[in-house]
Each structure stands twice: as structure tokens, then as C-alpha cells.
């Protein structure tokens, strides 16, 4: 097993009123992992079209490694409209390239050399990509230092109880925000108890190594069977919050893989995500002073 860290799932363009921006949690995650000096990959699919070629060129410009297939479907886009109060409304196009990521022999080989992977629920809305993600997880080697991070990322109606349950069984680290936790607890029949109790229930039920709960301005928690870490959210001048959660996950995992304690990794994750919030876009350069 090599120390390759993979972000697998959606690669797409966010189409905003002012133009398009590269989107997709797996790419954000893999990019920030690479900034900490670890060997990362983006795994996804794009169409054989201009939007797909532009994604690959963008990754090349950032020196971001990827294993991305071209498939006979259009490259993914998300139409984002702002209402009169500036609140975004998302229209995530369906049956796109990243819904149809093939499980190739080359991808199976990558899985066998992957130490850690981050995956979500959005890319599992279609059976093709869902089966590919599950096959990738199954092909990864077992090991003490292996991280399988399920960053739930609930979007629109693109999730089911079955998919969430299956993913939580396959992961050993769950990352969830407070709103998602309420939704999941309602689906799983645990409403009406406080957030921490909901987390302890999930940690025990799915035999997780860790559960990361982010609560926006109200701080974040990392639950492990033996301890709990809480860190307040720093007050910063926010440019936008795009990609902040992905940078949190990347910073946390890289610190854990480098032998840091849970609290040290948590502290680094909070600092990095707070910095990303002060910058425009999901993939700013991280200053050396924060690495």
C-alpha cells in the first residue's frame, strides 16, 4: 500500500450569475491534501466536451493529479441562482458524466494503493457511480492507518436512508454538520435528543473511529470512543464559505496520517478552514505558516 489519498465523486462547474467556477468536493479535498505534501488524486468522470476539457486543464494548472475517465455524458453543471436576499438556489443537473464513473482495472489498481479516501452521498445518487465508489472502498487494503471518510454532503433530494446506512457501514470516519445530523437522526428514528447524544449513538452503532460534527459559527466537535474534542470557530472576515468544509476534512486527515493527536488534527482543520473562508473560491493557496 502506498500513501495515496483519494477524493472520489463529483467533478463539475458551478454556474453562477457572474460566470462558472470549478466545483465538486472531491477535487477541493484532494487539492488541499496535496498542499500538505501528500500524494492525492481526484477520481471522477467528465464528458468529451469543452467543459470537461476545461476541468482537466484547470487541474493541470494546479498540478493536481487525477484519474478521470471521459464518458459519453455531458460534464456536470450546477446552476446557481440568487434570490432577492442573495440566498443561493441550486439546480444540480442529472445524468451527467460524474453520475457514470466507471470502475476500470486502472481504478481498481489505484484503490489497492490508496491509504485514505473521502467520499460523499451526492455522487451516489446514480447506480453506476454508487457501485464504483463501493467497489473502490472494497478494493482498498485493510490497515491500521487507513481512513475511509464519509463526508455526507446532503443535497436536494439526492440521498436515501439505504445509501446513508450503507456508506456509514463502509466508512470509519463520519463527517456531518449540525443540520445534516438532524435530518439523519430523523430518518434513523432518533429525533428529540441533543446533538452530542445523536453523535454518540452513530459512533457506537457503526463502530466508527471518529465522528466529526461541524456547527458553523457554533464550533466543531470530534468524537472518538475515548474522548471528545471541541474547538470554537474563529471569528474571521468571510469572503465566502465555498470549499471550507472540504479544506477542514483535508487538513484533519493529513494531520492524523502524519501522527498528530485528534485534538492537534482538529485544531489544524479549524485554522485551515477559517483561512479558506477569508479567501475567494474553494481552492486558495494555503500559506506555509498554517501548514
Amino acid at each position: 500500500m502506498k500513501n495515496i489519498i483519494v477524493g472520489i465523486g463529483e467533478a463539475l462547474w458551478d454556474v453562477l450569475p457572474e460566470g462558472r467556477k470549478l466545483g465538486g468536493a472531491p477535487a477541493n479535498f484532494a487539492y488541499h491534501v496535496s498542499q500538505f505534501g501528500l500524494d492525492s488524486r481526484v477520481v471522477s468522470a467528465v464528458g468529451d466536451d469543452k467543459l470537461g476539457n476545461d476541468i482537466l486543464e484547470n487541474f493541470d494548472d494546479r498540478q493536481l493529479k487525477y484519474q478521470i475517465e471521459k464518458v459519453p455524458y455531458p460534464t456536470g453543471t450546477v446552476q446557481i441562482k440568487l434570490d432577492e436576499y442573495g440566498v443561493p438556489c441550486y439546480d444540480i443537473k442529472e445524468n451527467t458524466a460524474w453520475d457514470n464513473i466507471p470502475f476500470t482495472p486502472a481504478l481498481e489498481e489505484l484503490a489497492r494503493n490508496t491509504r485514505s479516501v473521502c467520499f460523499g452521498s451526492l455522487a451516489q445518487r446514480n447506480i453506476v457511480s454508487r457501485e464504483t465508489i463501493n467497489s473502490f472502498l472494497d478494493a482498498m487494503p485493510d490497515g491500521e492507518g487507513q481512513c475511509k471518510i464519509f463526508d455526507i454532503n446532503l443535497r436536494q433530494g439526492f440521498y436515501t436512508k439505504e445509501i446513508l446506512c450503507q456508506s456509514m457501514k463502509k466508512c470509519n470516519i463520519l463527517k456531518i454538520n449540525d443540520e445534516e445530523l438532524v435530518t439523519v437522526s430523523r430518518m434513523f428514528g432518533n429525533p428529540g435528543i441533543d446533538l452530542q447524544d445523536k453523535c454518540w449513538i452513530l459512533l457506537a452503532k457503526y463502530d466508527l473511529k471518529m465522528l466529526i460534527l461541524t456547527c458553523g459559527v457554533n464550533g466543531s466537535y470530534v468524537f472518538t470512543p475515548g474522548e471528545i474534542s471541541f474547538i470554537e470557530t474563529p471569528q474571521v472576515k468571510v469572503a465566502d464559505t465555498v470549499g471550507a468544509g472540504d479544506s477542514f476534512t483535508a487538513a484533519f486527515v493529513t494531520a492524523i496520517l502524519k501522527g498528530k493527536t485528534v485534538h492537534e488534527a482538529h485544531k489544524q482543520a479549524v485554522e485551515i478552514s477559517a483561512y479558506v473562508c477569508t479567501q475567494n473560491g474553494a481552492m486558495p493557496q494555503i500559506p506555509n505558516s498554517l501548514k
Side-chain angles (χ1 to χ4, degrees):
M1 179 173 64
K2 300 175 184 176
N3 286 332
I4 297 175
I5 319 298
V6 168
I8 184 170
E10 63 273 15
L12 49 83
W13 290 103
D14 289 326
V15 183
L16 298 112
E18 67 271 21
R20 59 181 165 95
K21 290 184 179 179
L22 190 62
N28 299 337
F29 170 80
Y31 175 69
H32 288 300
V33 166
S34 72
Q35 291 202 79
F36 286 93
L38 296 184
D39 189 4
S40 69
R41 300 282 193 285
V42 185
V43 172
S44 190
V46 297
D48 190 7
D49 49 29
K50 185 180 187 310
L51 290 178
N53 291 332
D54 287 350
I55 284 178
L56 301 185
E57 286 179 16
N58 194 297
F59 290 168
D60 289 336
D61 289 344
R62 296 175 185 274
Q63 297 182 314
L64 179 55
K65 297 177 185 177
Y66 53 83
Q67 197 153 310
I68 293 180
E69 295 291 325
K70 287 193 173 181
V71 294
Y73 296 88
T75 297
T77 57
V78 179
Q79 296 288 333
I80 302 177
K81 295 180 180 179
L82 303 179
D83 67 15
E84 59 184 308
Y85 303 107
V87 177
C89 303
Y90 300 94
D91 178 15
I92 305 173
K93 300 302 181 185
E94 297 187 62
N95 205 26
T96 60
W98 59 264
D99 286 309
N100 295 278
I101 305 168
F103 191 65
T104 62
L107 189 53
E108 183 174 7
E109 179 64 22
L110 176 64
R112 296 193 190 285
N113 288 287
T114 294
R115 183 177 181 187
S116 296
V117 64
C118 185
F119 65 103
S121 54
L122 178 58
Q124 298 186 66
R125 66 180 184 176
N126 182 287
I127 189 170
V128 177
S129 289
R130 181 162 70 249
E131 290 185 346
T132 292
I133 289 170
N134 282 295
S135 296
F136 188 96
L137 294 168
D138 291 341
M140 285 175 62
D142 291 323
E144 183 61 33
Q146 181 201 72
C147 297
K148 293 181 177 178
I149 309 105
F150 179 38
D151 190 348
I152 282 194
N153 198 20
L154 301 182
R155 290 289 182 269
Q156 293 175 207
F158 297 130
Y159 57 91
T160 65
K161 181 178 178 179
E162 182 184 2
I163 289 171
L164 298 182
C165 185
Q166 177 77 359
S167 295
M168 285 191 273
K169 286 178 180 176
K170 286 184 176 285
C171 77
N172 56 20
I173 299 176
L174 173 64
K175 180 165 176 280
I176 191 167
N177 67 35
D178 48 356
E179 293 180 0
E180 291 167 340
L181 181 60
V182 170
T183 300
V184 169
S185 296
R186 193 178 296 123
M187 290 175 72
F188 284 70
N190 297 316
I193 57 177
D194 72 23
L195 290 184
Q196 289 199 32
D197 284 343
K198 294 181 197 294
C199 291
W200 288 122
I201 288 171
L202 289 174
L203 190 80
K205 182 175 182 178
Y206 294 100
D207 194 24
L208 301 171
K209 285 183 181 178
M210 303 172 204
L211 186 151
I212 301 166
L213 172 67
T214 58
C215 302
V217 297
N218 296 315
S220 56
Y221 300 80
V222 181
F223 296 83
T224 69
E227 64 179 311
I228 179 172
S229 172
F230 171 75
I231 297 180
E232 292 184 356
T233 302
Q235 289 189 329
V236 296
K237 186 176 181 180
V238 175
D240 67 51
T241 60
V242 179
D246 304 319
S247 70
F248 183 110
T249 312
F252 182 85
V253 170
T254 52
I256 291 292
L257 294 177
K258 289 181 178 182
K260 301 288 188 183
T261 67
V262 168
H263 189 73
E264 288 170 338
H266 188 189
K267 186 171 182 291
Q268 176 171 288
V270 169
E271 290 173 350
I272 293 298
S273 61
Y275 173 78
V276 170
C277 285
T278 69
Q279 306 297 303
N280 287 309
M283 297 185 184
Q285 285 275 347
I286 303 296
N288 288 329
S289 61
L290 287 178
K291 294 180 184 177

